[in-house]
Amino acid sequence: MKTITFSLHTQQPLLATSFQGDPNSDVSYNYIPGSMIRGAIIGRYMQEYDLSNLDLNNDLVKRLFFDNNTCYLNGYLLSQKKNQEKRTLPVPLPWFKDKDSQLSDNSSQITVYDFSIDEEEKPEIPKSVGESFWTEEGGVTFYKEKRRINIHNRRDRKKGRSSQEEGEIFCYDAIDTGQVFQSVILCDEADADFLKNLLQKSADIWLGGSQSAGYGHTKISDVNCHDTWNEINIPPTERINRECLTITLLSDLILRDEWGQYAVIPPSKQHQTPAPLTKKLEKVLGTLKPQRSFAGNNLVGGFNRKWGLPLPQVPVLKAGSVFVFEKISITSEQIQQLENLGIGERRGEGFGRVAVNWLEKRYFYAKKPEYPKISSQPVLKLQTSQTLAAQMAERLLHQKMEHALQKQIGSQEIKGDIKSSQLSRLQMVARQALSTGDCSLPLSFLNNLPSNASSQFERAKIKDQSIDKSFKQKLDEWLNNPLSSIKNQQDLIVKIADVERSITDEFAKENKLAEKYTLRLIMAVAKKAIKEKKNDL
């Protein structure tokens, strides 16, 4: 088989309607469906040959558009790393992070755990990573599509405006402009040049719904033909020997059981593998014993322009689902067969794409891409405007610091035999120093404690990044370097127009914001420990 890859640049918002949202809104998928790309190429084929209808008895038409010899894969976001652009893939469902871990648009990283490999090693409160796509860029990098919400008024077709009968408000949640997706066509060698020429006929193509209302204009670029291509960029020969067999869905999967019913996973059996999937795989791989699964269901539909009607809704197994089986002997040819042909129904529209023995890391670090910083903020010329913007930024910074403090207090816990009277004295000294932000006062208190009181502070422990540290040692760190007490400092930045305030700038230093944050943290930790001691009595 030949592979044709091409990029799709959104020039207008793109509406690939899914079944999300309420009845008065249309919410787009976060990718460009393969069926939509196939429909646009069919339209281009008919225009090229001046056809009003397709001849479904024509062997070329059937082979190009209506059987599984030619597959039009979904258009997923293209990664933006310079000279290393890749087609991203859906994030696997068994990937979890700690509930409090947050990704920001900079170089910060979080730890991600793969439950399909190991469920024993996991965060304290696991939560789904909540991202759309990922790729490998010297480590896992998450990508998420940008969206645009537009509000519209329904119009009376005869009057050309809204009326009492036709005047409802509705909204479109569409894929935003200025994004690049990459799609793939798998075809016979004999058809590759024909399809490539169709794609290169014109750079402009229209995709999705509401094209007459300013949606769907897309440009095609970087059309390339490949003799060999692998969707996950790992050769099958490197995936033969794994601890267990894993099947990861790279797109939605449509399966039916022996009675013709669509295969879905009931809510009460989220970790069970559907029998129709096991039977499909056994035709290629032999007898399989399911162990566990991390899967979800979805509904897909579409729109047939020929009929002018929506397509029937079909339940599917969600892209990113992972199914784990006991280890079996497998060959690279079997892996290649499953990944090239896919499984299930409507494979020609991009459904049923799978990866075999893809993921193997129990946990890893992940980040978001580093986009170039382009300032779109207006420049304030009047002094009064700058003063007002500075006041707004300072208030918002204080608000962010308050939220960060409350969040940090929840994760701090003092363990050990320290008397409430010592904690009360610490709390009182920190309160006295708070008005001036003078950390030397509590430092002097700690350094001049009687030996018995000092030993209580030494023996008490406080958790710091999963490590128990001496409470006195931790207090010394915080008071000698107040910024060390503040987690995720990169999040404590506020920008109003061209005025910026952060926890490390001159404004923060003059007002001793880090020192006051540290003193308030000490007071809160001490108060929390006293309260817990009372509750234990």
Side-chain angles (χ1 to χ4, degrees), residues 387-452:
T387 303
L388 181 60
Q391 291 173 353
M392 292 168 65
E394 288 157 13
R395 288 175 184 173
L396 287 172
L397 178 60
H398 281 294
Q399 195 177 78
K400 279 195 170 190
M401 289 178 64
E402 186 67 29
H403 290 159
L405 180 63
Q406 294 298 328
K407 188 176 178 181
Q408 189 171 349
I409 292 167
S411 63
Q412 302 287 352
E413 183 180 358
I414 298 175
K415 298 178 181 178
D417 186 18
I418 182 170
K419 292 183 178 179
S420 297
S421 58
Q422 299 298 336
L423 293 170
S424 295
R425 289 179 66 195
L426 175 65
Q427 190 178 358
M428 183 178 65
V429 172
R431 185 180 292 111
Q432 289 174 355
L434 184 61
S435 59
T436 58
D438 183 9
C439 290
S440 63
L441 189 60
L443 267 174
S444 176
F445 163 76
L446 292 170
N447 292 332
N448 294 292
L449 283 170
S451 59
N452 181 41

Side-chain angles (χ1 to χ4, degrees), residues 258-426:
E258 57 194 43
W259 298 283
Q261 299 296 315
Y262 289 107
V264 293
I265 301 177
S268 59
K269 300 178 180 179
Q270 286 295 311
H271 294 291
Q272 291 189 12
T273 302
L277 174 61
T278 305
K279 289 179 180 178
K280 281 282 185 185
L281 295 171
E282 285 179 336
K283 291 180 181 179
V284 179
L285 304 177
T287 305
L288 298 176
K289 292 183 179 179
Q291 287 187 335
R292 59 189 181 276
S293 71
F294 300 85
N297 303 317
N298 210 346
L299 274 178
V300 298
F303 191 84
N304 188 308
R305 290 188 179 279
K306 174 67 176 176
W307 301 343
L309 293 169
L311 296 174
Q313 298 179 21
V314 177
V316 297
L317 296 174
K318 196 174 181 181
S321 298
V322 177
F323 304 91
V324 184
F325 301 85
E326 286 187 10
K327 183 178 180 179
I328 63 167
S329 177
I330 189 171
T331 66
S332 59
E333 289 76 17
Q334 289 173 314
I335 293 176
Q336 203 161 0
Q337 181 182 347
L338 275 174
E339 293 181 347
N340 285 350
L341 300 179
I343 56 177
E345 299 181 7
R346 292 169 62 179
R347 299 196 304 275
E349 299 173 39
F351 291 94
R353 305 300 302 170
V354 299
V356 181
N357 288 348
W358 182 21
L359 308 168
E360 58 178 337
K361 294 181 180 178
R362 287 175 168 79
Y363 66 91
F364 48 87
Y365 297 105
K367 60 183 177 65
K368 282 193 173 183
E370 296 183 23
Y371 294 106
K373 293 183 178 179
I374 301 172
S375 177
S376 58
Q377 301 286 358
V379 177
L380 301 178
K381 297 180 180 179
L382 297 177
Q383 183 61 43
T384 51
S385 299
Q386 290 182 354
T387 303
L388 181 60
Q391 291 173 353
M392 292 168 65
E394 288 157 13
R395 288 175 184 173
L396 287 172
L397 178 60
H398 281 294
Q399 195 177 78
K400 279 195 170 190
M401 289 178 64
E402 186 67 29
H403 290 159
L405 180 63
Q406 294 298 328
K407 188 176 178 181
Q408 189 171 349
I409 292 167
S411 63
Q412 302 287 352
E413 183 180 358
I414 298 175
K415 298 178 181 178
D417 186 18
I418 182 170
K419 292 183 178 179
S420 297
S421 58
Q422 299 298 336
L423 293 170
S424 295
R425 289 179 66 195
L426 175 65

Side-chain angles (χ1 to χ4, degrees), residues 172-192:
Y172 286 156
D173 185 346
I175 294 171
D176 203 359
T177 60
Q179 299 181 88
V180 185
F181 295 76
Q182 187 181 71
S183 186
V184 181
I185 300 175
L186 305 177
C187 61
D188 292 336
E189 188 173 352
D191 301 324

